[in-house]
């Protein structure tokens, strides 16, 4: 909860998931993979990545290289292309 003294009100925020630094790219994608399927099913989807500068948002989304270090975006694209083949 954040207290907004200028407007004399509180703002409440909630998070669905918080990933510790030890979370691997696989673990993160496993948690958000259903968003990809929901988008393919026609739903509007938004994945919001928030954090301090240098905390790993871009790395989480894009990843680095191939294999286990791929981020959410390349994994999502791969998932979509696999669905198109089915």
């Amino acid at each position: 909860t954040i207290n907004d003294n200028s407007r004399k009100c509180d703002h409440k925020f909630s998070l669905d998931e918080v990933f510790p630094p030890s979370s691997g790219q696989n673990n993160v994608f496993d948690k958000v993979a259903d968003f990809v399927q929901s988008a393919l099913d026609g739903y509007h989807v938004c994945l919001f990545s928030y954090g301090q500068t240098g905390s790993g948002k871009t790395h989480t989304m894009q990843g680095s290289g191939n294999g286990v270090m791929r981020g959410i975006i390349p994994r999502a694209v791969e998932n979509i292309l696999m669905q198109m083949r089915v």
Side-chain angles (χ1 to χ4, degrees):
T1 301
I2 296 176
N3 187 306
D4 185 347
N5 291 327
S6 65
R7 296 185 183 171
K8 297 183 177 18
C9 64
D10 290 339
H11 299 280
K12 295 184 180 188
F13 299 91
S14 65
L15 304 170
D16 293 326
E17 191 79 36
V18 175
F19 298 99
S22 61
S23 292
Q25 297 285 46
N26 254 357
N27 295 341
V28 175
F29 187 72
D30 286 347
K31 291 285 188 172
V32 302
D34 288 341
F35 285 111
V36 176
Q37 187 58 51
S38 292
L40 291 171
D41 291 341
Y43 292 95
H44 296 277
V45 174
C46 176
L47 178 62
F48 185 76
S49 181
Y50 179 82
Q52 190 172 2
T53 300
S55 62
K57 300 174 299 293
T58 300
H59 177 71
T60 299
M61 296 304 292
Q62 296 178 349
S64 58
N66 296 316
V68 297
M69 295 307 292
R70 291 174 302 135
I72 291 172
I73 294 169
R75 290 170 191 263
V77 169
E78 179 183 38
N79 193 318
I80 292 166
L81 293 174
M82 286 175 47
Q83 292 290 328
M84 290 174 55
R85 291 184 193 129
V86 173

